[in-house]
Amino acid sequence: MEKSTADSSNQPLEKSEPETGCLSIIVLGASGDLAKKKTFPALFNLYRQRFIQSCEFHIFGYARTEMSDDDLRSRIRSYLEKGSVKAEDVSEFLQLMKYTSGSYDTEEGFRLLDKQISEHEDAKSSANGSCRRLFYLALPPSVYPVVCKMIKLCCMNKSDLGGWTRIVVEKPFGKDLESAEKLSSPIGELFGEHQIYRIDHYLGKEMVQNLLVLRFANRLFVPLWNRDNIDNVQIVFREDFGIEGRGGYFDEYGIIRDIIQNHLLQVLCLVAMEKPVSLDSEHIRDEKVKVLQSVEPIKDEEVVLGQYHGYRDDSKVPDHSNTPTFASIILRIHNERWEGVSFILKAGKALSSKKADIRVQFKDVPGDIFNCEKQGRNEFVMRLQPSEAMYMKLAVKQPGLEMSTVQSELDLSYKQRYHGVTIPDAYERLLLDTIHGDQQHFVRRDELKAAWDIFTPLLHRIDNGELKPISYQQGSRGPAEADELLLRAGYIRTHGYRWIPPAL
């Protein structure tokens, strides 16, 4: 595998093929909500589908909370026993777990953890240097540096026979460029870039992963995907509920840091990037970085911020909070393919619906003889969630004797087309990629820096009170000014058209 210039480590990149040595998965922060609701269920589903085998792996939980192995198993059992899951599968999985309690900033607990892992490796009769250790940091980012220092000091695995040590870190990774670099620098001094997996679960979503295939495997899209044919692109995230008791966390970050700077910006990279040399993870990430480096500075007049009425009623939200719960932002990419195309990133809470989608709106047909503009433009839509689908909005003849047109769609709805196929959770896919050493769907350090370069000036202006959010009603579309911004960006909404997910 060719090494990226962004990787300053002198060690070669690891192969993406699955290895056969003993695998230890260590979940740090095992008593927290993230581990219970996401990490452990994802590992269980991989185990249940036999992507990881009981004969080769073991799970070690680590946290400050004092409890036994059985206490941990009891805590997470209810998060695994869902749907048609067999009770015996749950019980077998839980027996693969052990628990160690200890501090995150002292050696004692990590030495004990290392002893437990080593005893498991010895019991599996694995050759020294062939074992694999995956550390999942389900922890607040503020403790990443000290935890990584303890791992490096106490828990490293030899790798001379194909073994490895890998670190998975969760977002939010900093609050701006400076704080992100303060987290990245100490971790980068301890581990090579090939060992660090910065997880953004949006990159594990089925429809997001489909973007590369759609763009580069279909002759239909290759000549259309540029400024000559596309007028604007919307990437939208909407939730129909508010902060729901997460006021303390959310007010510290806001909708831009929580959703737009990471999730939606990652989607933008896949929509806008050039064709990579190959599917090698570094080739793909190189192209994503080029997109981010081509984004022009954000203009205040191309930003609309909102805060839903009632947000400040949360006891953990300050009475005069300036934190946006809604944002609509236009990004412009200064390169040959996208000059003049508006990329609208929009996210909000307490809105009229819950969905996430990508909308690529094409330009009007030159010399339109059917007067189809009244029906609306062609659009290619990818519904990321819920009800995964992709459809093309087209002008077609209205059935009947008259020559009149109407807008309809060519539709690929996953539940209908792939009946009975379960779409995996994003965390399952990303954890499996981590085990296999595939970094394609993880954020590289220079990519993270480029993303913060784009948004840090805007975030500082918001934090300083220079930009104020507009109040909007819960259950609405957001501030009316956001729709006005869409019009200025060139988006033309189709009135009277509604996509209806096909029934099975």
Side-chain angles (χ1 to χ4, degrees):
M1 183 182 292
E2 186 175 289
K3 190 174 179 180
S4 165
T5 55
D7 181 7
S8 60
S9 169
N10 292 323
Q11 303 177 46
L13 290 177
E14 295 159 320
K15 295 179 180 179
S16 61
E17 294 83 5
E19 299 92 343
T20 56
C22 176
L23 172 63
S24 298
I25 300 174
I26 303 98
V27 180
L28 301 161
S31 61
D33 278 353
L34 175 62
K36 290 186 294 186
K37 295 177 180 177
K38 293 293 183 182
T39 315
F40 288 126
L43 289 171
F44 171 64
N45 285 328
L46 289 176
Y47 164 77
R48 189 164 60 97
Q49 298 171 70
R50 302 299 182 254
F51 283 103
I52 48 179
Q53 306 294 328
S54 59
C55 60
E56 69 169 352
F57 91 107
H58 211 78
I59 299 174
F60 298 86
Y62 185 93
R64 288 183 295 228
T65 306
E66 290 278 353
M67 59 179 170
S68 66
D69 296 348
D70 286 337
D71 289 336
L72 176 62
R73 293 164 185 155
S74 297
R75 280 189 176 212
I76 67 171
R77 180 181 287 273
S78 63
Y79 294 96
L80 309 181
E81 293 177 332
K82 294 182 178 180
S84 59
V85 170
K86 296 178 181 178
E88 56 265 34
D89 285 346
V90 174
S91 297
E92 289 171 6
F93 175 79
L94 292 174
Q95 290 308 307
L96 299 172
M97 301 176 60
K98 293 185 70 66
Y99 180 78
T100 303
S101 64
S103 172
Y104 293 125
D105 57 0
T106 58
E107 293 184 31
E108 183 181 1
F110 284 89
R111 295 288 183 194
L112 180 59
L113 176 62
D114 180 67
K115 181 182 177 183
Q116 287 197 340
I117 299 170
S118 298
E119 287 175 353
H120 165 68
E121 292 169 346
D122 291 341
K124 292 292 183 180
S125 301
S126 295
N128 194 18
S130 68
C131 296
R132 300 167 287 163
R133 295 185 180 184
L134 173 60
F135 291 85
Y136 193 110
L137 276 60
L139 296 165
S142 59
V143 300
Y144 288 170
V146 67
V147 168
C148 286
K149 180 180 179 182
M150 291 298 111
I151 293 171
K152 184 73 172 182
L153 190 64
C154 306
C155 299
M156 291 296 289
N157 185 43
K158 291 183 179 180
S159 58
D160 53 327
L161 293 178
W164 45 253
T165 301
R166 293 172 185 157
I167 310 296
V168 181
V169 292
E170 275 274 0
K171 81 163 190 82
F173 206 82
K175 294 181 64 178
D176 55 15
L177 179 58
E178 182 182 2
S179 58
E181 281 296 290
K182 282 183 179 178
L183 286 174
S184 293
S185 294
I187 298 175
E189 292 169 4
L190 295 166
F191 298 101
E193 187 65 25
H194 65 286
Q195 295 175 293
I196 304 169
Y197 289 71
R198 299 175 189 85
I199 199 168
D200 185 328
H201 77 271
Y202 250 58
L203 289 176
K205 288 185 175 295
E206 181 68 31
M207 298 305 294
V208 174
Q209 296 208 334
N210 218 331
L211 269 168
L212 289 186
V213 178
L214 284 165
R215 285 199 53 200
F216 302 122
N218 293 288
R219 187 69 179 85
L220 170 68
F221 288 120
V222 172
L224 297 178
W225 213 261
N226 54 51
R227 62 189 174 93
D228 295 329
N229 301 288
I230 294 175
D231 186 272
N232 59 79
V233 178
Q234 271 197 86
I235 304 171
V236 180
F237 173 94
R238 302 164 65 90
E239 287 184 331
D240 55 3
F241 54 88
I243 53 175
E244 296 190 334
R246 295 173 65 241
Y249 165 84
F250 187 87
D251 199 71
E252 185 179 354
Y253 289 94
I255 198 70
I256 297 175
R257 291 182 176 97
D258 195 39
I259 301 296
I260 294 178
Q261 183 272 340
N262 41 74
H263 297 334
L264 302 194
L265 195 60
Q266 285 295 318
V267 175
L268 178 143
C269 287
L270 296 174
V271 171
M273 65 185 273
E274 296 298 320
K275 187 176 183 177
V277 174
S278 74
L279 290 177
D280 180 281
S281 60
E282 296 310 311
H283 291 155
I284 292 172
R285 299 200 292 182
D286 286 345
E287 295 302 333
K288 289 167 66 181
V289 171
K290 291 177 186 177
V291 172
L292 295 173
Q293 291 174 338
S294 300
V295 174
E296 297 179 342
I298 299 171
K299 299 176 182 178
D300 288 355
E301 60 269 25
E302 295 190 324
V303 175
V304 171
L305 305 176
Q307 185 184 92
Y308 69 80
H309 183 70
Y311 169 73
R312 298 178 190 175
D313 294 342
D314 187 291
S315 60
K316 296 180 181 178
V317 173
D319 291 340
H320 302 288
S321 171
N322 198 52
T323 300
T325 61
F326 174 98
S328 186
I329 301 170
I330 298 175
L331 297 187
R332 302 191 182 277
I333 300 173
H334 182 58
N335 64 19
E336 184 178 3
R337 181 181 293 270
W338 297 116
E339 189 74 36
V341 177
S342 301
F343 285 81
I344 306 115
L345 273 56
K346 182 165 66 174
K349 289 184 171 292
L351 298 176
S352 56
S353 61
K354 178 181 179 181
K355 67 177 182 179
D357 57 30
I358 305 164
R359 294 180 173 270
V360 179
Q361 186 170 87
F362 293 89
K363 292 184 175 181
D364 294 323
V365 176
D368 178 17
I369 62 173
F370 291 103
N371 193 25
C372 291
E373 288 186 16
K374 62 183 179 182
Q375 266 87 47
R377 289 170 164 172
N378 294 152
E379 283 186 30
F380 177 62
V381 183
M382 294 185 70
R383 175 67 62 93
L384 307 182
Q385 64 182 35
S387 303
E388 291 89 348
M390 61 184 79
Y391 56 96
M392 178 74 82
K393 293 165 64 175
L394 303 172
V396 298
K397 178 184 176 298
Q398 176 89 35
L401 295 175
E402 295 182 355
M403 180 57 73
S404 58
T405 60
V406 67
Q407 193 168 62
S408 188
E409 70 279 336
L410 296 176
D411 195 329
L412 168 58
S413 292
Y414 271 49
K415 286 184 179 179
Q416 184 183 53
R417 180 65 177 84
Y418 304 112
H419 184 54
V421 175
T422 300
I423 294 177
D425 179 79
Y427 277 90
E428 295 171 35
R429 190 187 308 275
L430 296 176
L431 276 166
L432 190 61
D433 284 348
T434 308
I435 294 168
H436 289 176
D438 185 352
Q439 291 187 305
Q440 177 185 152
H441 304 117
F442 295 85
V443 181
R444 203 167 64 190
R445 182 174 176 179
D446 58 340
E447 190 180 344
L448 179 70
K449 181 179 183 300
W452 279 121
D453 271 333
I454 294 168
F455 282 99
T456 292
L458 171 64
L459 289 166
H460 284 177
R461 293 197 295 276
I462 296 171
D463 294 342
N464 294 335
E466 297 172 34
L467 294 177
K468 300 284 187 181
I470 302 163
S471 181
Y472 64 94
Q473 292 298 316
Q474 296 187 48
S476 69
R477 285 178 48 83
E481 289 82 350
D483 286 335
E484 295 169 8
L485 180 65
L486 272 183
L487 288 174
R488 296 203 306 273
Y491 181 75
I492 298 178
R493 191 192 308 169
T494 304
H495 293 280
Y497 169 86
R498 185 167 67 94
W499 176 69
I500 301 174
L504 291 177

